[in-house]
Amino acid sequence: MWRIIIKKINIVIIRANIVNDIEATMTRFLNELNREIINVAELQHYVEFKNMVHMVTKIERLLEINVNTRQEENLSFFLA
């Protein structure tokens, strides 16, 4: 999903003939994310935008797994 978004962003930047600071782009991208993801991402080291997107995608999946696991645990508690 993020790959498609990044490609679209790059296409728009190229079409608009914008010279953009990659650090500013990375900051704007991070600021649009869920607060939980931002908190974890800020603790990670990344140099390239592509690497940051991959890292954020992994964090998002891990958080989603944790939420689903907690929901299953809560459900089993009430059904027991």
Side-chain angles (χ1 to χ4, degrees):
M1 180 176 139
W2 292 112
R3 289 180 190 156
I4 295 169
I5 294 170
I6 292 171
K7 286 180 183 179
K8 287 182 180 181
I9 290 172
N10 287 333
I11 290 170
V12 169
I13 289 171
I14 290 168
R15 284 184 183 164
N17 206 14
I18 297 172
V19 177
N20 202 358
D21 178 19
I22 191 65
E23 206 170 299
T25 301
M26 292 167 76
T27 301
R28 282 194 308 273
F29 175 77
L30 274 177
N31 287 333
E32 294 297 320
L33 299 173
N34 177 312
R35 181 42 77 203
E36 259 185 304
I37 295 172
I38 294 171
N39 290 341
V40 177
E42 287 177 341
L43 299 174
Q44 306 300 317
H45 175 72
Y46 46 84
V47 177
E48 295 181 359
F49 187 57
K50 177 177 71 173
N51 295 340
M52 183 187 71
V53 172
H54 288 296
M55 179 199 51
V56 166
T57 304
K58 288 179 187 178
I59 293 169
E60 189 176 43
R61 274 193 232 126
L62 286 171
L63 290 174
E64 195 173 287
I65 289 169
N66 287 341
V67 166
N68 291 338
T69 304
R70 277 188 249 135
Q71 287 174 347
E72 288 174 9
E73 289 173 357
N74 290 340
L75 182 61
S76 65
F77 174 77
F78 287 114
L79 294 177

